[in-house]
Structure formats: C-alpha cells, structure tokens
C-alpha cells in the first residue's frame, strides 16, 4: 500500500470517528421515530401514549404536551388517542444542513404527577433536490503544451440531500481528449477533475465543449448539468505541483487571530515568471472557511483571521490553488482539512421547562416542583454538567435523564414561617477550568389550614355591674390565625351551656364576625354572682379548626337594696324598770341588707331626737343602752326612731320605731298586744325556725325513749311473773328454806332472753349413796375423801352466770342445805369467802340470827377485787357430771370448750339423783357419817 493510500484511509477513519461522536447523543433516548421529510400536516409519527405506557384516558387530564428545544412546533399530539402527528411540513435541508443524521429532540411532559419522557424524531432524507452546479457554464483555458494525464479541477455540483440521495456519480460527454476523474471521501465525492487523455492541438481544435452531468442515488435518480468550455492556449506548459495533495491539521477554537494553522508548499518546473507561484483559496472553497482563515500568497501559510467556534463548525475543508506567473497561468491544487479542537468556552444553559407553583405547604417529600433542562454546547467533559442548589433550602435537585433535572421537596414546608423561597440553582460543567451559571427560581408556598385560631389568653375574667341594660357590650373576643385567605377567616360563637338551668344563650351572645360579646339580660347580683362562658373561634378552612376561650364573668354588686329591719312588728314596745342602771342593755334592733360589701355594711342612728333622752344606740350592732340614770323630769314613755343606713352609693336607709315605757320595779312586764315585754331581743325568722326544729326533734326523742322504757318494763314484768309462777318455795320447822324435790329454779339476768345457766334439784332423803352407788352414775363419782383443788386459771364462770351475779339478784329462799342424820340444819356463813383471783366474784351471805334468809347477794366481776368468789378447781380430765358429797345431786359444768351435751344445755345443773332401791348396804350409819363429813368440808371451802 502506498503512502498516499495509507494517509487516505487514516483520514477517512478520523472523519468517521468525529461524525460518530457528534451523532452518538442522538440515540440516547426513550423513544425514536423516523419519518421522511416533506411529510404533510397530519402525517402519523407514532403512538406516544401506547409506547410510553400511559393511559389514554388520562393524557388529557394530565395535560400531555410536546416541548421542543428550539420552540418550533413541528409536531402535535392528539389528546384523544395519544398519536403524534406532523403539524408543520419539515424540510430536512433547512433544519439539518450538512448533518448526516437529522434528529429533532422532543420532550413529552405530563402533569399530576409530573413526568418527563424524551423522544427523538429522525427526519429521513428523501430525494427532493437535484444536483445543481454553481454556474451553468464553466470556462477553462488549457495550454496546448499540457501533457497527457494533466488534471484540471472542475467545480462540482451540490446536492443538499444526504446519503444515497446525494451526488453519487458524474458523467462527462464523450471526448477524445478529456476524461472525468473523481474521488470519494466518506461516501461523498469531494473533488472532481478533468484528465487530459492526450495532448491538445490548438490548431486542430481550439475550443472543446463538454457537458458535465451530476447524478444522485435517489429513486428515481435526479441529475443536473453544466457546460464546460475549454480554450486551448499555447502558453506555459508546466503547472505548479504541491508536495502532497492532502493536508490535515487542527486548531483550537477561540484561537487568536493571526495564529498559524498550517503551511502548504508547491513547486513549478518552469523558470522565470512561469515558475513563480502564488497561493490562493480555490473558488470552490467554502465561504465559512474563507472567513475563518487566510493564506499568504507568497509563503502558503494559512492563518486564523476569524472566530473559530467548535459549536458552529467542527471541521474546515479548504481547497488551495497554486498559480504560476506565466503568460498563461497554470494551477496546482491541494486540499487542507482543518479540525477544530473544542475548549470549555461555553457555560451551561439552564431552561425551566416546567414549574409548578405555588407549592402547597403540606406537600410530601419528593414532590416535583420544577423540571430543569441543562445544555452545554461544548463536548466531552466540557459539555458534562452537574447541578446543585447553592444555599440551604427545603428543596433538592435530582438528575432525571440526559441533561434534565427535577427540583423536588426535601423537607417539611411551613408557609407561616416562610412564604417564598428564592432557590438558586448552579449548573457547572466538568471542563478545565469549569464554567458555571446560576438560575434563580422564585417558589411561592401556598397555604393550607394547619393552624387553629389562637386567643391571646385561654382564660379571661370580666366584671359586669348588675342592673346592666340588656344588649350592652361587655367584652370583645379576639383570636388570630397565622393562615391566610379563608383559612384565616374566623367566626365566633358561644358554646351551649346552662347557668342554674337557664341556657347560656339567654345570657350571652357574640357577634360571629368581630367577636363582640353582648349581655342579653339584666343581671342581678343577688341571684347570680358568677358564671363561666366559653367562646369558640372557628376558621373557614377545610377541615375547620377551632379554639375556645373561657370567660369568668363576675356580677358586681350595686347598692340597689335598702336595709330591712328583722322584727316581727313594725313598732317595738319595750317596758323597762326605772331602777335600771346606766350602761345596761335595753333592747337591740337588727337590720339586714341583701347587697354585699360596703353596700351591705350598716350603721344605726337615732332620728329626730327632741330634747335630751336617756338612751343611746350603738352605731355598729344596734344595741340601745341607758346612758344616764332616770330623773323625775324624764317622760314615762319614749318613742325612738331608729334609722339603719348602708354605705353604698347612693346611700339607702330604713327606719323603725321603738317605744320604751318605764314601769315601777316589781310590776309585771309584758309586751304590747299581749306579747311579753322585757330586755330581750326579738327573734329573727331564722331563729324561730331553729327553735321549732329543736323542739320537734326533742319531742320525738322523748317519745321514743318513753316508748322504749314502757316496752322494756312490760317485758321485765312478764319475765318476773313467769319466774314467780315456776318457783315453789317452802320452809322447814327449823326455820330453814327447803326446796321442793322436783322444782327447777332459774337465775335470770336483766337480759331479754333467760339463760338456763343454773338449775338446782333438792334431795328427797337425808342419806347419801355409798361409793358403789356413786360409781354407777354417769361420769366419774367423787368419794368421801375427795378434796377440791385451787381453781384452774383457765376456768371461769359462764357469761350468763356472771351476768346473773352482777345483776345482784336476791335468790328468794336460797338456803344452803346440809344433810345430817338428825335432820336439816341451816348453815350460816359468818364471813365471805375470798380468793386471790381478781376476776372472781363475791358471795355475801346473811350474817347473824336476825337476818332475813332472802338477803343473799351475789357480786361478781373486777369491781370487787378484795373478795373474789371461790371457785373449785376442776381437773382438765374431770367428767362433765359429778355428785356433790353429802347430796345426791349431779352437777354439770360447762367449760370454755364445751362438749356437745354442754353446748345444748348451756347451763350448770344440780339435779336430784333417785335413790337406788336395788342396792342395800348394811353399814348405812357409817356411810352416812362419812358423807356428812365430806359435805361439811365442801361447805367450809
């Protein structure tokens, strides 16, 4: 491969790489449609709603719209079916001149919520332009001495179409001397030359007319023609030649003017003027290249003379001609490809494509406020842009898609704290040095009803004077709401309640607009002194919020009640003896005032005094006293006018008359009108009620006590009569009392229920049974030698027996019998038996011969600690029934833990034991004597 071909392939590769970088961004999108250019209005482009997955029924409500960067409305969306169609005819050559891939970037934006999609519509080229030459006639002068193979540059045609629709071929009309040669660069014909096939002979043919036809690759193919007129001259026969046909260089954009871009060099084999070469841009050079660069015609240096902007043109292709100075100038040609190197000379551009304001203050975190598009005309890192918010704010910016950013709510908003934010967004590229731009967004915060009305204080106190006119203004309730609009519109109302059963609405009303509180009734301090009222403030927000104010309303007293004397009669008549001493109380008057405070503070004075009277009245308590002794010149009767005066404003008074009559000492003092008179004070109405109540209660208590005593006395008499009927008493000839053999005696206390604590059975003979007989009885029998021990401290008399003893019951005919061989003898104790037990009782027998036998007295209890009742000690294992020696009686003793039999009986029984008839012993006298001895021992104890 030759060096020229290698350079050619390298150049083609670089060009392809640059074009690929330029068009790479066009494929990064969400939707890509392709339509041919020159499409008419209404041409179908694509189903946007279906391809983006949007609900067709919502695209109208969500305001789907198409936004173009250049703000040209080439397309429109049908909101009924979601179809994108052509709104305006598109000429690809007009909007994408010289660009291989013509893409129109669009943004599809929907609201509620805000979403953005990217759409690229590629405009497909159609063969709507035919090739056209700059001029219909092209004149060339060729020296006849030009050798075969000489090449002559011919200005080619231009076709704004691209690709296969652009120029793909040239044809030259048939000629023996000329042929057409062209080369393609990146599938495009860049140079067109006529090749001299054989030398010219001016003498044979001085002018050659050729037709050049250009064809494009469209279907059908279009063509354009140009006439070439070649004039053969016999002049300079060597044309300048460049040392290389193709030059390539690069220049930095914004390069200063005068900067050297490249230097070309050509040689001419001729000598003299025919070998002098001058350089110039070819007439076929592009106009923009001639504005940006210039060439020194002597040196071939190409310099920068204009603004080099990468964003306008990334590459320049310049045709250079080398012309000699011969009589007939010859030309040499070369091509220079200048690539523009991008620098970071363009700051980012910020465009707000969607701004949703105002923002409600209750917007949740993540709510989209604005869609921001950021574009940088630079490439690579110079065109990569990042966005951020410069100052702290409750908003945050997020990268959305390909140069689009979304501004969202990041914190809780509060309009009452701040109603507007100025969000400064900084866009900064990654170039070196980096460039940035600021964009300020004013975001208003809209109000929601999130604040309830607020009173200055939740509780307030007002004072209203009684007898106020109905409808008077007594208070103004004032509440504030930091919200705005209808959320801050406050209405006032009274919360329903009652004062002593009367609805609150009968006392108080409030103006719902300004909060003025009016008293609907005339208040009376003597009826109502205080009540509470609640005022409710409610805003007009949705939902409404409210707050309450508690009013403590006190009714102030005014002096609207005169004093009133508390006397039964209008005139008080008093009789006093003439012997009364000075300073003594004569009488006392009292007045009351239903007002309060100073309005009820009374003072007493005597009114209309004529002459000197011997009486004086206390200003504070109304007591009338004698201030001096009576004299003979004094009257027998004094009529005093007593005035009670309060301390209110205005002062109110009351008067009463007191008639004082003087009588002699010893006379009966009576009140006038048959009422008692004296130095007493009249009862007030309250005192009369109190005395009547005390009398009634005392009478009821006395009647109840008498009734209880009568009932109790009758019940006691019935019990005594029952005892008398049951007791049968007789005496023996010796003067001793003898009990009947089969009679039971009960000792009863004062209780209502008689208790069978003690029953005594008398014997029917004087002989005691022997030991064998005693052993046959129930329980354990006591022999003659048995001696009772000291009583166990755990044993006591039964409660019933103690009560009987404490009742000091005189046992009528209660004689102690002693059985003896010769008969019954009374045993009179001479002294009281005493024990050391402090809880014992005392038995006081009659002492002396003349004492009545009925005077036995039993005393029991701790009241008599000196002479306790002797109690025989009963062993723990002692049987329930035993026989007293010397007597055929059985004693049943109840313990603290009684047996079942004792619980049923609950008394001590002294019973008669029948004489055993079956057993007869011979030694009756001896046994009788032993029994008598045992009986005497027991009696002594």
């Amino acid at each position: 491969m030759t060096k020229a071909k290698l350079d050619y392939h390298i150049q083609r590769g670089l060009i392809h790489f640059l074009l690929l970088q330029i068009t790479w961004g066009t494929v990064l999108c969400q939707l890509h449609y392709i339509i041919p250019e020159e499409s008419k209005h209404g041409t179908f482009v694509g189903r946007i709603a279906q391809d983006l997955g949007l609900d067709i029924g919502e695209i109208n409500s969500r305001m789907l719209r198409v936004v173009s960067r250049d703000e040209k409305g080439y397309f429109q969306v049908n909101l009924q079916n979601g179809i994108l169609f052509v709104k305006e005819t598109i000429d690809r050559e007009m909007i994408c001149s010289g660009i291989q891939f013509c893409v129109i970037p669009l943004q599809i934006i929907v609201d509620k919520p805000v979403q953005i999609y990217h759409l690229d519509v590629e405009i497909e080229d159609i063969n709507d332009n035919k090739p056209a030459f700059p001029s219909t006639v092209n004149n060339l002068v060729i020296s006849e001495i030009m050798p075969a193979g000489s090449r002559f540059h011919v200005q080619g045609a231009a076709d704004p179409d691209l690709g296969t629709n652009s120029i793909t071929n040239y044809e030259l009309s048939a000629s023996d001397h000329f042929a057409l040669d062209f080369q393609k660069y990146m599938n495009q014909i860049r140079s067109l030359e006529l090749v001299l096939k054989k030398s010219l002979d001016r003498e044979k043919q001085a002018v050659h007319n050729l037709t050049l036809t250009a064809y494009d690759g469209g279907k059908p193919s279009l063509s354009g023609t140009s006439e070439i007129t070649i004039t053969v001259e016999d002049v300079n026969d060597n044309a300048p030649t460049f040392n290389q046909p193709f030059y390539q260089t690069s220049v930095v954009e914004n390069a200063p003017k005068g900067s050297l871009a490249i230097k070309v060099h050509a040689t001419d084999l001729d000598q003299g003027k025919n070998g002098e070469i001058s350089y110039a841009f070819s007439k076929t050079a592009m106009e923009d290249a001639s504005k940006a660069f210039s060439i020194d015609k002597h040196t071939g240096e190409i310099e920068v003379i204009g603004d080099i902007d990468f964003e306008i043109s990334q590459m320049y292709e310049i045709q250079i001609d080398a012309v000699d100075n011969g009589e007939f100038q010859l030309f040499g040609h070369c091509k220079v490809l200048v690539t523009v190197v991008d620098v970071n000379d363009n700051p980012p551009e910020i465009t707000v494509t969607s701004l949703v304001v105002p923002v409600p203050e209750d917007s949740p975190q993540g709510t989209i406020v604005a869609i921001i598009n950021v574009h940088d005309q630079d490439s690579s890192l110079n065109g990569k842009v990042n966005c951020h918010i410069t100052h702290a704010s409750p908003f945050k910016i997020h990268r959305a898609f390909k140069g689009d950013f979304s501004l969202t709510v990041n914190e809780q908003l509060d309009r009452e704290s701040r109603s507007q934010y100025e969000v400064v967004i900084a866009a900064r590229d990654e170039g070196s040095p980096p460039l940035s731009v600021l964009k300020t967004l004013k975001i208003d915060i809209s109000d929601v009803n999130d604040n309830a009305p607020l009173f200055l204080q939740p509780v307030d106190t007002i004072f209203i004077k009684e007898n106020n006119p109905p409808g008077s203004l007594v208070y103004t309730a004032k509440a504030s709401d930091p919200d705005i609009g209808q959320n801050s519109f406050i209405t006032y109302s009274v919360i329903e309640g009652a004062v002593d059963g009367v609805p609150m609405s009968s006392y108080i009303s409030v103006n719902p607009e300004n909060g003025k509180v009016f008293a609907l009734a005339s208040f009376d301090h003597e009826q109502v002194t205080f009540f509470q009222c609640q005022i409710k403030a409610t805003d007009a927000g949705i939902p409404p919020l409210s707050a309450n104010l508690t009013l403590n309303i006190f009714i102030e007293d005014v002096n609207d009640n005169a004093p009133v004397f508390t006397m039964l009669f209008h005139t008080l008549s008093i009789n006093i003896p003439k012997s009364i001493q000075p300073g003594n109380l004569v009488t006392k008057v009292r007045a009351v005032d239903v007002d309060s405070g100073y309005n009820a503070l009374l003072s007493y004075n005597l009114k209309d005094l004529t002459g000197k009277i011997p009486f004086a009245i206390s200003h504070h308590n109304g007591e009338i006293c004698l201030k001096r002794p009576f004299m003979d010149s004094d009257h027998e009767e004094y009529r005093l006018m007593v005035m009670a005066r309060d301390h209110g404003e205005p002062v109110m008074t009351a008067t009463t008359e007191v008639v004082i009559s003087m009588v002699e000492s010893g006379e009966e003092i009576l009140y006038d009108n048959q009422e008692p008179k004296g130095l007493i004070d009249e009862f007030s109405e309250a005192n009369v009620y109190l005395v009547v109540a005390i009398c009634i209660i005392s009478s009821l208590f006395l009647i109840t006590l008498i009734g209880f005593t009568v009932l109790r006395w009758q019940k006691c008499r019935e019990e005594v009569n029952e005892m008398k009927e049951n007791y049968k008493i007789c005496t023996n000839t010796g003067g001793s009392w003898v009990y009947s053999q089969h009679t039971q005696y009960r000792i009863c206390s004062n209780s209502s229920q008689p208790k069978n604590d003690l029953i005594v059975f008398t014997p029917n003979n004087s002989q005691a049974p022997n030991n064998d007989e005693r052993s046959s009885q129930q329980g354990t029998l006591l022999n003659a030698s048995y001696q009772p021990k000291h009583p166990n401290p755990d044993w006591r008399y039964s409660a019933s027996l103690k009560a009987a003893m404490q009742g000091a019951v005189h046992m009528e005919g209660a004689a102690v019998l002693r059985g003896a061989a010769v008969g019954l003898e009374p045993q009179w104790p001479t002294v009281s038996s005493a024990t050391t037990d402090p809880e014992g009782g005392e038995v006081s027998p009659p002492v002396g011969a003349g004492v009545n036998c009925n005077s036995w007295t039993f005393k029991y209890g701790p009241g008599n600690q000196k002479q306790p009742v002797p109690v025989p000690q009963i062993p723990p294992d002692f049987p329930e029934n035993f026989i007293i020696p010397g007597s055929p009686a059985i004693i049943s003793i109840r313990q603290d833990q009684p047996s079942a039999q004792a619980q049923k009986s609950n008394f001590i029984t002294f019973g008669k034991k029948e004489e055993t008839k079956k057993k007869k012993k011979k030694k009756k006298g001896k046994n009788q004597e032993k029994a008598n001895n045992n009986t005497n021992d027991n009696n002594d104890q």
Side-chain angles (χ1 to χ4, degrees), residues 285-514:
M286 298 177 63
E287 183 180 358
D288 54 351
S290 61
K291 292 180 179 180
F293 301 96
S294 68
I295 188 170
D296 191 313
K297 65 178 182 178
H298 302 292
T299 61
E301 294 179 350
I302 299 177
E303 297 179 351
V304 178
I305 62 171
D307 295 330
I308 306 300
D309 192 352
F310 176 84
E311 288 70 37
I312 297 177
S313 178
Q314 293 84 29
M315 184 177 62
Y316 292 92
E317 185 177 340
I318 307 173
Q319 296 287 342
I320 305 297
D321 292 337
V323 182
D324 58 22
N325 289 328
E327 184 178 357
F328 298 100
Q329 293 180 341
L330 298 179
F331 296 87
H333 306 284
C334 74
K335 181 179 295 183
V336 178
L337 182 63
V338 181
T339 303
V340 180
V341 179
D342 182 42
V343 295
N344 192 25
D345 60 339
N346 291 283
E349 298 175 359
I350 298 178
T351 304
V352 179
T353 58
S354 178
L355 180 61
V356 182
V357 290
V359 180
E361 62 176 325
D362 60 347
S363 298
Q365 186 175 357
T367 302
I368 296 178
V369 178
I371 301 296
I372 301 168
N373 179 264
V374 180
H375 176 69
D376 196 325
Q377 297 180 6
D378 296 325
S379 62
S380 187
L381 294 178
N382 298 329
K384 188 176 181 180
V385 182
N386 295 317
C387 285
H388 67 278
I389 300 175
T390 59
H391 300 88
S393 68
F395 302 96
K396 189 176 183 181
I397 193 165
H398 301 272
R399 183 181 293 275
F401 185 83
K402 190 189 173 183
D404 289 320
F405 295 85
S406 61
L407 184 66
T408 62
V409 176
N410 192 43
E411 297 177 4
Q412 181 64 41
L413 302 176
D414 187 6
R415 190 208 61 81
E416 289 71 35
S417 299
R418 189 170 179 180
S419 61
Q420 187 183 68
Y421 291 90
E422 288 189 357
V423 180
V424 180
I425 300 174
R428 181 187 180 96
D429 59 26
E430 297 184 5
S432 180
L435 299 178
S436 61
V437 68
L438 300 178
K439 180 72 173 181
T440 302
L441 298 181
K442 290 186 178 180
I443 300 176
D444 295 325
I445 308 301
S446 61
D447 183 56
V448 297
N449 192 25
D450 59 343
N451 290 279
L454 181 65
F455 288 98
L456 296 178
Q457 52 187 2
V459 180
D460 202 355
T461 301
I462 61 175
F463 297 89
I464 304 175
K465 289 188 177 181
E466 64 174 332
N467 302 326
N468 59 295
S472 59
L473 177 66
V474 296
Y475 185 78
T476 299
K478 185 63 177 177
S480 61
D481 195 325
D483 295 327
I484 59 174
Q486 69 174 9
N487 296 331
S488 63
F489 182 76
I490 300 175
T491 56
Y492 301 88
S493 62
V494 177
I495 297 179
E496 284 299 329
V499 179
D500 296 335
V502 179
M504 185 64 66
S505 57
S506 300
Y507 286 101
I508 295 296
S509 69
V510 62
N511 190 316
E513 296 180 358
N514 53 27

Side-chain angles (χ1 to χ4, degrees), residues 141-146 200-203 205-206 231-238 274 326-330:
V141 177
I142 301 175
S143 175
E144 61 178 341
I145 60 174
M146 294 297 296
L200 297 176
D201 189 359
R202 187 191 61 80
E203 289 72 24
Q205 187 176 353
T231 302
V232 180
E233 292 182 355
D234 188 15
V235 288
N236 190 16
D237 58 351
N238 289 296
N274 293 329
E327 184 178 357
F328 298 100
Q329 293 180 341
L330 298 179

